[in-house]
Amino acid sequence: MSDIENYLNALIDVQHKCHNTNGAPREGWEYLCIEDFVLREGQPFAAPSSVELPSDVSQGIVKECFKNCVNSVAMRGTDYLYCEGYALGIIPMLHAWLVSPDGQVIDPTWRKPGTEYFGVLFNRKFVLEQTLKQETYGLLDAYTAGWPLLKGIPKDEWAPALVED
């Protein structure tokens, strides 16, 4: 198990203890917390082998990973997929990055790539619709919208068609 997966499991355990959930999410929710969603729906990605970005991806602003990646997907109409989850730099943190058609991580935000990435791929249409609807960037910690993903939006609405169950 990766360091990120261990970290996610530890945070899920804390949620269980703090909320006395006995392993169940709150009523009306499919997932206990963001980390539960990421762990159940996400996958590991190999860290980038280079800090160089492809020529069609611009270096983004540090600490604006969600915006950097949404804009890359929205403005360029590329074949890159938007991914949100946790990346490990110095510590694991909620982060967004792009994934190329061949599965390579493209991180337009961090100047030095992380050593681990574990996240959930989202289809372009869902990313753009949710960003406009929420009027903010980021899909997982969508507190202003009431965390719709954690309440169980059907997977066929947010997952790319190439992702198999």
Side-chain angles (χ1 to χ4, degrees):
M1 192 174 294
S2 73
D3 288 338
I4 291 178
E5 289 170 291
N6 286 330
Y7 177 77
L8 296 176
N9 277 311
L11 291 176
I12 291 166
D13 287 345
V14 168
Q15 288 285 333
H16 286 306
K17 290 175 184 166
C18 288
H19 300 288
N20 263 337
T21 64
N22 295 322
R26 65 190 89 178
E27 189 175 329
W29 289 44
E30 183 71 25
Y31 303 90
L32 179 66
C33 55
I34 293 167
E35 295 78 16
D36 184 31
F37 180 84
V38 171
L39 198 55
R40 288 169 47 192
E41 301 296 346
Q43 63 189 46
F45 293 91
S49 56
S50 169
V51 295
E52 262 187 64
L53 295 173
S55 60
D56 58 343
V57 176
S58 301
Q59 184 69 56
I61 298 169
V62 175
K63 297 184 182 181
E64 292 188 10
C65 61
F66 307 111
K67 181 179 180 181
N68 296 336
C69 292
V70 168
N71 287 343
S72 288
V73 169
M75 303 306 279
R76 290 176 182 77
T78 65
D79 291 332
Y80 301 129
L81 291 173
Y82 178 89
C83 192
E84 267 188 48
Y86 280 80
L88 180 61
I90 296 170
I91 59 170
M93 61 188 341
L94 197 56
H95 192 54
W97 59 93
L98 304 172
V99 177
S100 68
D102 64 351
Q104 299 299 310
V105 167
I106 300 164
D107 191 335
T109 305
W110 286 356
R111 303 305 187 252
K112 179 182 177 194
T115 57
E116 282 184 37
Y117 290 78
F118 193 99
V120 181
L121 294 168
F122 292 95
N123 71 52
R124 183 176 187 268
K125 181 179 181 226
F126 183 79
V127 171
L128 300 178
E129 285 176 354
Q130 290 300 305
T131 301
L132 290 172
K133 181 179 177 183
Q134 295 171 186
E135 297 181 342
T136 189
Y137 297 96
L139 302 175
L140 296 176
D141 194 14
Y143 63 91
T144 59
W147 293 284
L149 285 167
L150 303 186
K151 292 178 179 175
I153 292 175
K155 191 171 185 172
D156 63 353
E157 289 184 30
W158 56 263
L162 59 99
V163 176
E164 296 179 18
D165 292 344

